[in-house]
Amino acid sequence: MAANMLRGEEEAADVLQDVFTSIWQRRGELAIQGSVAAYLHTSVRYKVRDYIARNITRRDYLSLLTDTAVHVLPATSQLRLELKEAQETIQSAISRMPARVREAYQYRREQHLSYAEIAERMGTSPETARKQVQKALGIIKESLGYTGVAVIMAFSHLMK
């Protein structure tokens, strides 16, 4: 589950390491009632949610969440509609971005390039590439307004 919700196996491995580190640190006081597998599943689910919440503006996880939720999760029709609207808002915001900002954002999101790689392709500095991606994320965040918060809350509800 973690690898499906995060950008890759490295991030999933980080989350799993966090789960096991937390368990190890609390080993003296931890009393697992019931299935260890169920406890681990729930722990991973919460750690993934926390990881996404911490990194949402930096790595554009909202777009990933809506993509995943619209195409994978068995959601209610109301939630599915809200997620679809959020996805359309994101696409609309991307289409309205200045060309260079959109290009940097697409290199980062679609091709997962580093800022140095983006800078090389665009003939600019890595710092400029980073600022363009940040500007793109700001445009998306502004376009979503409270919708983004609603999507995260709805998605969290589904993960229970």
Side-chain angles (χ1 to χ4, degrees), residues 92-147:
S92 175
I94 292 169
S95 69
R96 290 189 319 267
M97 290 177 187
R100 299 284 285 177
V101 171
R102 181 175 53 247
E103 182 180 10
Y105 172 79
Q106 289 173 329
Y107 279 139
R108 184 73 173 173
R109 182 174 189 293
E110 294 170 8
Q111 297 180 25
H112 308 290
L113 299 181
S114 69
Y115 294 125
E117 293 168 323
I118 295 168
E120 184 178 317
R121 288 192 182 190
M122 294 179 67
T124 188
S125 73
E127 181 63 20
T128 300
R130 184 185 66 76
K131 286 181 180 178
Q132 288 173 328
V133 171
Q134 284 180 335
K135 183 175 182 173
L137 293 175
I139 291 168
I140 291 170
K141 189 175 177 181
E142 184 179 309
S143 294
L144 285 169
Y146 289 107
T147 306

Side-chain angles (χ1 to χ4, degrees), residues 20 27 49 63 65 79 81 95 103 108 120 125 129 138 160:
F20 286 111
R27 69 186 179 277
R49 190 172 65 188
S63 182
L65 284 176
L79 178 58
L81 177 63
S95 69
E103 182 180 10
R108 184 73 173 173
E120 184 178 317
S125 73
K160 290 181 182 176

